[in-house]
């Protein structure tokens, strides 16, 4: 059976995102060895490469290539900002550690459990040290392109403009209003990247492209969102030019299997009880994790520990030592049980 997480981080990331799950996995092996506990199945600890996708795209390369090795040729060709191929960087990293023995990972894995910091505020606010992660929310990414007519900012009357920015902002307003109306369903909307052409202070924009990242546990909410996007575009009717959009990434929600959740619930309850802490909380993950891909390969689930202030992807990332300890203990109980199944 498999445990672990990723060892890469964000440019300004903290010390816990990913690395905690890898080190805790090694601690589990050490603890089992020290206690003289031999399990039915071998336990493997993994440090997946490039989960964050901050240098090479896409993210979660290691775990998704393990699950679907056909991804590998395209991943090897992926280049970073300095035009270095991922394949070359990988080969160089392996060559630098040629004294480390290598053998293939087991395939298939019987089960996988990933321990990770929550990276959000839910556990801290509930004053609960351990979370049973029930799944990972669904996501869709869109690229919207609005075209108009470039013209002089000073001489073109307002009623005679085809302003691509005005069109884009009109659509954005409608989408934010929809997200506010859907607040109860926990829809999350981000219009994160904007490109304005010609991006000049005194020229009416002729082209505006922006991206949409929309997420929800309930995929039906995303389907309704897409219908709203269609309607907003149909209503926009620019004087000249037009609007196109494409969905360039989509993933349905991940639901971890009930048997895995029960087992993790018991392990977390046992660790919490021993430390006189509250019962584990069930929650969904707002972020992607390697476990999302492993869930396509074998029974998979995750354990969360709190993130102080909900802060992550930031050097200020922090979790109290006793919570890190409880997470590792819950992982040990889970791993030992799964390795004996
Ligand atoms: Zn992570």
């Amino acid at each position: 059976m498999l445990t672990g997480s990723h060892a890469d981080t964000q440019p300004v990331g903290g010390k816990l995102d990913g690395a905690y799950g890898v080190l805790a996995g090694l601690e589990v092996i050490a603890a089992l060895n020290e206690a003289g506990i031999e399990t039915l199945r071998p336990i493997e600890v993994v440090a997946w490469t490039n989960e964050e996708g901050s240098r090479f795209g896409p993210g979660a390369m290691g775990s998704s290539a393990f699950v679907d090795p056909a991804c590998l040729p395209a991943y090897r060709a992926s280049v970073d900002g300095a035009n270095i191929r991922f394949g070359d960087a990988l080969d160089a990293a392996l060559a630098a550690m040629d004294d480390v023995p290598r053998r293939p990972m087991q395939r298939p894995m019987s089960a996988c459990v990933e321990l990770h910091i929550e990276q959000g505020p839910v556990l801290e606010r509930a004053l609960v040290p351990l979370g049973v992660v029930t799944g990972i929310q669904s996501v869709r990414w869109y690229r919207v392109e609005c075209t108009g007519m470039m013209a002089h900012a000073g001489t073109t009357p307002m009623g005679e403009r085809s302003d691509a920015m005005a069109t884009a902002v009109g659509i954005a307003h409608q989408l934010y209003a929809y997200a506010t109306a859907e607040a109860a369903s926990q829809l999350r909307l981000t219009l994160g990247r904007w490109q304005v052409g010609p991006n000049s202070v005194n020229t009416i924009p002729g082209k505006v492209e922006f991206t949409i990242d929309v997420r929800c546990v309930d995929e039906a909410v995303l389907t309704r969102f897409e219908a709203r996007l269609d309607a907003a575009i149909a209503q926009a009717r620019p004087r000249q030019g037009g609007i196109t959009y494409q969905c360039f990434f989509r993933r349905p929600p991940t639901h971890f299997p009930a048997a895995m959740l029960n087992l993790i619930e018991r392990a977390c309850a046992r660790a919490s009880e021993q430390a006189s802490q509250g019962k584990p909380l069930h929650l969904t993950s707002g972020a992607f994790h390697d476990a999302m891909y492993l869930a396509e390969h074998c029974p998979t689930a995750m354990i969360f520990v709190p993130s102080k202030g909900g802060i992550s992807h930031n050097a200020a990332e922090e979790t109290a030592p006793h919570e890190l300890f409880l997470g590792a203990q819950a992982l040990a109980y889970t791993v030992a049980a799964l390795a004996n199944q």
Side-chain angles (χ1 to χ4, degrees):
M1 70 84 44
L2 181 69
T3 188
S5 189
H6 58 99
D8 64 316
T9 184
Q10 289 283 331
V12 291
K15 60 182 185 254
L16 296 172
D17 178 359
Y20 168 52
V22 177
L23 291 179
L26 294 172
E27 269 309 311
V28 167
I29 302 269
L32 290 175
N33 287 346
E34 254 169 53
I37 296 173
E38 201 168 311
T39 54
L40 213 59
R41 293 174 187 279
I43 301 162
E44 298 207 13
V45 179
V46 67
W48 298 115
T49 194
N50 195 37
E51 190 272 347
E52 299 286 354
S54 55
R55 180 176 169 195
F56 297 100
M61 271 184 183
S63 50
S64 59
F66 172 73
V67 172
D68 179 12
C71 298
L72 202 53
Y75 288 175
R76 287 189 66 90
S78 171
V79 290
D80 69 2
N83 233 16
I84 295 169
R85 288 171 73 255
F86 172 75
D88 294 336
L90 179 66
D91 294 344
L94 292 174
M97 302 189 296
D98 62 357
D99 55 333
V100 177
R102 271 165 224 171
R103 57 177 183 78
M105 289 173 71
Q106 291 286 331
R107 174 179 288 278
M109 291 291 169
S110 66
C112 171
V113 57
E114 181 175 1
L115 173 66
H116 204 281
I117 55 167
E118 184 201 327
Q119 306 179 278
V122 176
L123 292 175
E124 185 186 56
R125 284 185 190 158
L127 300 171
V128 167
L130 294 173
V132 179
V133 185
T134 55
I136 298 175
Q137 63 183 347
S138 52
V139 61
R140 294 185 192 182
W141 287 354
Y142 303 90
R143 194 180 292 116
V144 182
E145 191 185 293
C146 304
T147 50
M149 172 85 103
M150 282 183 286
H152 196 294
T155 59
T156 317
M158 289 305 281
E160 291 170 35
R161 296 176 176 216
S162 297
D163 185 338
M165 180 55 88
T167 307
V169 167
I171 295 168
H173 270 304
Q174 294 208 43
L175 300 181
Y176 282 126
Y178 182 77
T180 305
E182 281 279 358
S185 61
Q186 309 256 310
L187 174 81
R188 285 179 185 153
L189 171 71
T190 306
L191 312 183
R193 190 171 67 211
W194 289 74
Q195 277 165 320
V196 181
N199 208 21
S200 162
V201 68
N202 54 357
T203 299
I204 298 165
K207 188 174 154 189
V208 173
E209 189 185 292
F210 65 96
T211 55
I212 303 171
D213 173 313
V214 68
R215 304 188 196 210
C216 195
V217 181
D218 180 0
E219 202 178 15
V221 174
L222 299 192
T223 302
R224 289 206 296 276
F225 172 87
E226 195 168 297
R228 191 70 201 86
L229 176 61
D230 279 328
I233 287 172
Q235 281 165 23
R237 288 206 204 93
R239 284 183 67 249
Q240 274 179 53
I243 310 160
T244 57
Y245 82 88
Q246 65 181 130
C247 181
F248 65 102
F249 179 70
R250 64 169 67 207
R251 254 197 100 81
T254 302
H255 300 291
F256 296 135
M260 289 292 286
L261 299 184
N262 290 340
L263 201 140
I264 285 181
E265 161 82 37
R266 282 200 301 277
C268 290
R270 186 176 161 198
S272 301
E273 226 173 272
Q274 283 166 1
S276 307
Q277 296 283 330
K279 280 201 172 82
L281 197 80
H282 285 231
L283 74 171
T284 50
S285 172
F288 291 166
H289 292 287
D290 292 304
M292 184 169 86
Y293 290 94
L294 268 292
E296 296 170 7
H297 173 82
C298 64
T300 297
M302 294 186 77
I303 302 169
F304 274 174
V305 294
S307 292
K308 201 169 179 189
I311 294 168
S312 185
H313 286 189
N314 184 319
E317 202 170 74
E318 204 183 324
T319 303
H322 75 273
E323 294 167 341
L324 293 172
F325 175 81
L326 278 186
Q329 201 170 28
L331 180 70
Y333 293 149
T334 306
V335 165
L338 287 170
N340 277 324
Q341 275 184 1

